[in-house]
Amino acid sequence: METPLVSRDYILHRIRTALGRGAGQAVADPPPARIRVPQVSMELRVASMLERVRALAGEAVASSDPCAVVANLIAGKTALASNAPYLAECGICGLPGVRSGITGREELREICATVDIGITSADYALADTGTLVLLSSPREARMISLLPPAHIAVVPRERILTGLDELFALLPNPAEASSSMVLITGPSRTADIEQILVRGVHGPGQLTVIVV
Amino acid sequence: MRTQPIDQVAAGLPAETKTAVYEGSKIGHEKRTKLLFDHYGDPNRLRTLAGEIKQHVVENLDTYLPAVEARLVANGAKVHWAATAEAACEAVYSILKARGAKKLVKAKTMVSEEIELADYLEKRGIEALETDLGEFIVQLDHDHPSHIIKPIIHKNRRQIAELFEKSGLGAYDDEPGMITQRARQFLRHKYLEADAGLTGANFVVAESGRLVIVTNEGNSRFCLAATRCHIALVGIEKILPRDRDLALFLNLLARSGTAQQLTVYNEFILGPRAAGQPDGPDEMHVIFVDNGRTDVLASDCREILRCIRCGACLNTCPVYRKIGGHSFPWVYSGPIGAILTPQFMGVQHEPALPFASSLCGACGEVCPVKIDIPKILLELRSDVKKADAREHKNRLEKLGFRAFAWMMTHPRIFEMAGRIGRSMGWPSGNKGPMGAWLSERDLPPLPAHSFRDLWRRR
Ligand code: SF4
């Protein structure tokens, strides 16, 4: 078996030979990155966010009382809320049927595998695509937006950015804050079978976004 | 036109398969065109820029790869290198063996198809389960994927429902929602039991060491969140210089591939889980795979290495639409398959492939990184022709020498030939194969009398 170091040097050597260059030759700058951040008012961002989520067959609600909206959606079902401080602030963690404050790996998996709904906040949202941006952390476990069949995200409107370009224009880069950042755009889906759209393959089939 | 082996395979396809592929690829193409042109005033400018950025990476791979490696290591990942398919399989296997892992869940990765990883692992007693719905169905059926992003475009729902019934996943039901539910239930347990998760990466960012993984189903998220060990198989050409480039590339990939604004899940992975995170892998391994890529880099069509495997060229290709992916001999099909396969395997290995195109140019029009696919196909055709001509010449030469040897070992024939030769002179002129052969050689003048003549007259 080749030792790892040999393959590494072998591959790099082949690359340099193919390119006809010596080791450590300086790289020219890449062409400029293309980032366009449009000016969009908060009203329009909220409107676009709601419209895009609905276009992807998600539910979208703007409300000043997220706790009431969530209570309505739960209606006797069970839910697990993430440890995002914002959810506690809204009083969602205290609703009947909602569990929260889980920190252990095994416990988290077990509960996520049995509840009907996972409730999270979002670190950002992207208005032009209807996207949620979640940074994985002890406060925002990824299982909650993944395992249960339904996902509710509660997002304060200040966190709505215009789009992907603005997210990448933020400094410091928000993605640096976590080992895993995920962009969620609509419910989990597939069109593998005869190009017929089916929702809820591995991730949640129902997505509700509440903009506060 | 001469028929190609590919035509024969295509001719043998059932009508059902042809319809499925045709409809599936056509829908993909129409949606894509609408979306690109609706949202961008000038999508061609974006394609040009994306092409330039990837070309820049390809031209500077020798610098980008070590830079990415350093970032990955700093982020807590282990980096491995594999020059060949065999080495890549071995690398995965030894990581699993070291952990005592027996069960692997796999997200969709073209590299794992290239290196035939699942077979390799199964033979060594490791369950390697596909989790992408299409790939899962292909695996159940011991079939092969026929499209790089829609692996079961060639199957219809009745065939799938029959397969599920046969495999014990429930009584016959061909409603796609039901099929999906059944796969969901089955795979759910598998994720939670698995020892390790394997993914590819759509992009790796040089400045941050970030892996970007894109799926619609959410299976790669599962592979990562549920297991303790993450292994990523990454082709050495997958690098982007900066995080900011992702804005452009994620847009283009989703729009070109599946006609979405953005794919449902775009994951940005920076390393193993941090302390306190209740899910995610403790260990992260990145395996950089060459497997023929450096040969492509050395060839005169290195621009193929820009390819982001979006599948748009398949959907738009009239030939692909008619014959489907299984008519192509390797894991990559359609226009990109027609160039990748001979490049990876050598033109002599798959000489017919570059001809499996009508050169209508549709693929070049849609490619989000502006690879000039029709031009490369033409170049490959001429390579095949040249290789053919060389082979042809060699055959004639061998034949010539065999005839010569026969003549030399038969005295009467030799004498007769000498007489004819002297009366007519050496075959001269520069025409025909003999002329070509003589263009690089000189023959001594024929003596006036043969040795035998002189001997007899003595
Ligand atoms: S060659 Fe271009 S169009 Fe075809 S899969 Fe690659 S990136 Fe997409």
Side-chain angles (χ1 to χ4, degrees):
Chain A
M1 194 184 133
E2 302 167 87
T3 66
L5 196 66
V6 173
S7 332
R8 175 190 189 275
D9 292 348
Y10 174 71
I11 292 172
L12 290 176
H13 170 76
R14 285 186 56 101
I15 293 173
R16 275 194 294 268
T17 314
L19 295 171
R21 312 210 309 173
Q25 216 164 305
V27 186
D29 282 338
R34 181 188 184 277
I35 297 279
R36 302 269 187 284
V37 183
Q39 294 289 322
V40 183
S41 72
M42 188 49 81
E43 272 59 44
L44 283 178
R45 289 187 212 183
V46 172
S48 166
M49 181 76 200
L50 299 177
E51 191 230 76
R52 290 308 310 161
V53 172
R54 288 179 193 136
L56 294 165
E59 305 269 323
V61 197
S63 166
S64 50
D65 186 3
C67 200
V69 179
V70 174
N72 242 331
L73 288 168
I74 291 181
K77 298 199 200 89
T78 56
L80 174 65
S82 75
N83 304 334
Y86 186 71
L87 295 181
E89 273 166 42
C90 297
I92 289 170
C93 303
L95 288 170
V98 178
R99 295 186 61 175
S100 187
I102 309 299
T103 52
R105 185 176 180 118
E106 290 309 317
E107 199 184 8
L108 178 73
R109 289 163 67 123
E110 237 160 72
I111 298 174
C112 283
T114 51
V115 293
D116 305 312
I117 304 170
I119 307 173
T120 69
S121 183
D123 296 274
Y124 302 94
L126 309 180
D128 70 350
T129 48
T131 301
L132 300 166
V133 183
L134 270 70
L135 294 166
S136 161
S137 74
R139 297 189 293 192
E140 203 68 272
R142 5 186 172 181
M143 283 285 188
I144 302 178
S145 58
L146 185 61
L147 234 66
H151 174 202
I152 300 176
V154 187
V155 195
R157 58 186 248 158
E158 318 78 80
R159 296 189 194 165
I160 303 180
L161 309 176
T162 50
L164 199 55
D165 286 40
E166 189 175 0
L167 181 72
F168 285 110
L170 292 182
L171 287 171
N173 182 346
E176 290 300 318
S178 170
S179 67
S180 159
M181 173 173 90
V182 65
L183 269 49
I184 304 178
T185 308
S188 156
R189 62 181 235 171
T190 180
D192 271 350
I193 304 170
E194 293 189 11
Q195 319 309 307
I196 298 166
L197 192 61
V198 177
R199 299 195 175 80
V201 192
H202 300 287
Q206 281 173 34
L207 174 71
T208 310
V209 176
I210 304 170
V211 177
V212 185
Chain B
M1 200 183 92
R2 195 153 63 99
T3 57
Q4 307 287 344
I6 207 162
D7 298 323
Q8 291 157 18
V9 182
L13 288 177
E16 236 177 23
T17 305
K18 283 190 193 156
T19 316
V21 174
Y22 184 78
E23 289 304 323
S25 42
K26 193 163 128 258
I27 293 173
H29 175 60
E30 283 163 6
K31 280 212 240 143
R32 170 202 161 274
T33 314
K34 184 170 180 321
L35 196 72
L36 259 186
F37 286 90
D38 272 3
H39 289 268
Y40 286 113
D42 189 3
N44 287 331
R45 281 253 303 281
L46 301 189
R47 299 198 302 134
T48 306
L49 177 61
E52 284 169 3
I53 293 175
K54 284 264 2 197
Q55 187 70 23
H56 162 84
V57 168
V58 168
E59 304 284 350
N60 295 285
L61 256 192
D62 55 333
T63 321
Y64 275 117
L65 272 170
V68 148
E69 178 189 31
R71 293 298 319 182
L72 283 165
V73 171
N75 297 345
K78 291 206 179 71
V79 177
H80 312 252
W81 301 78
T84 60
E86 178 79 17
C89 288
E90 252 169 34
V92 176
Y93 180 59
S94 57
I95 295 167
L96 295 173
K97 209 166 75 179
R99 295 185 55 90
K102 285 270 165 246
K103 290 177 178 169
L104 176 75
V105 277
K106 267 181 90 246
K108 183 167 167 44
T109 105
M110 286 312 294
V111 178
S112 74
E113 301 288 337
E114 258 177 51
I115 65 172
E116 300 178 9
L117 178 68
D119 274 359
Y120 184 97
L121 293 178
E122 300 280 349
K123 283 197 192 109
R124 285 157 185 78
I126 290 177
E127 178 185 278
L129 194 71
E130 300 287 352
T131 59
D132 173 271
L133 179 63
E135 296 280 348
F136 171 68
I137 291 170
V138 162
Q139 192 177 38
L140 266 189
D141 204 16
H142 307 286
D143 193 358
H144 292 282
S146 69
H147 187 294
I148 60 178
I149 55 169
K150 304 172 191 163
I152 51 166
I153 193 169
H154 61 291
K155 285 193 188 312
N156 64 36
R157 56 175 122 169
R158 288 181 304 284
Q159 295 162 332
I160 301 167
E162 279 160 19
L163 171 69
F164 270 41
E165 188 171 35
K166 211 172 68 197
S167 313
L169 291 173
Y172 182 95
D173 189 331
D174 63 13
E175 202 269 305
M178 180 53 110
I179 295 174
T180 308
Q181 272 309 310
R182 286 176 171 168
R184 175 184 167 106
Q185 289 315 328
F186 177 79
L187 286 171
R188 192 139 278 249
H189 300 288
K190 293 288 184 180
Y191 289 122
L192 296 173
E193 289 167 5
D195 304 308
L198 183 121
T199 69
N202 296 79
F203 306 101
V204 185
V205 181
E207 68 174 5
S208 59
R210 197 182 314 284
L211 256 55
V212 183
I213 306 170
V214 173
T215 70
N216 267 321
E217 301 180 4
N219 52 326
S220 72
R221 283 194 80 199
F222 247 122
C223 291
L224 289 188
T227 65
R228 294 268 183 190
C229 172
H230 172 207
I231 305 172
L233 276 173
V234 184
I236 53 172
E237 83 286 18
K238 287 282 168 202
I239 298 176
L240 287 181
R242 300 149 299 204
D243 283 297
R244 294 158 69 103
D245 295 318
L246 290 168
L248 173 63
F249 278 88
L250 291 176
N251 261 308
L252 280 176
L253 177 61
R255 287 165 205 260
S256 309
T258 43
Q260 291 166 280
Q261 273 196 321
L262 269 184
T263 316
V264 177
Y265 298 106
N266 287 271
E267 274 176 283
F268 302 74
I269 305 296
L270 204 52
R273 77 189 174 100
Q277 260 172 260
D279 45 22
D282 301 324
E283 251 180 50
M284 175 172 163
H285 298 267
V286 177
I287 305 173
F288 283 113
V289 181
D290 177 348
N291 194 28
R293 287 163 174 79
T294 47
D295 291 331
V296 179
L297 194 65
S299 76
D300 46 12
C301 28
R302 72 169 61 133
E303 68 177 283
I304 316 169
L305 293 174
R306 291 185 209 159
C307 174
I308 57 173
R309 308 282 191 263
C310 72
C313 57
L314 276 67
N315 291 338
T316 192
C317 173
V319 177
Y320 178 87
R321 285 192 198 171
K322 278 282 178 218
I323 66 178
H326 281 166
S327 313
F328 293 81
W330 198 37
V331 293
Y332 298 105
S333 53
I336 186 62
I339 35 186
L340 278 180
T341 310
Q343 280 302 301
F344 277 57
M345 313 266 207
V347 280
Q348 274 320 90
H349 190 79
E350 291 304 341
L353 268 187
F355 296 89
S357 154
S358 60
L359 291 182
C360 71
C363 46
E365 301 278 306
V366 297
C367 177
V369 285
K370 265 207 163 161
I371 300 176
D372 196 342
I373 307 172
K375 192 189 95 208
I376 297 177
L377 281 171
L378 271 178
E379 278 164 11
L380 283 174
R381 283 185 184 190
S382 92
D383 284 357
V384 172
K385 282 274 174 262
K386 278 186 217 143
D388 258 4
R390 231 177 294 130
E391 175 71 6
H392 185 62
K393 208 170 113 193
N394 289 345
R395 269 208 305 267
L396 275 179
E397 187 176 311
K398 265 188 222 138
L399 206 71
F401 273 109
R402 228 191 288 146
F404 184 67
W406 178 74
M407 184 178 79
M408 294 295 279
T409 49
H410 295 79
R412 275 174 202 289
I413 308 271
F414 177 72
E415 211 174 335
M416 198 164 76
R419 233 175 282 135
I420 297 174
R422 256 180 296 279
S423 68
M424 300 178 57
W426 275 124
S428 60
N430 42 15
K431 274 197 255 118
M434 198 61 191
W437 194 79
L438 282 175
S439 69
E440 291 157 14
R441 293 167 182 84
D442 283 325
L443 291 177
L446 280 173
H449 303 283
S450 76
F451 176 74
R452 285 165 176 253
D453 269 354
L454 293 175
W455 183 258
R456 267 184 234 128
R457 277 195 237 155
R458 178 181 53 117

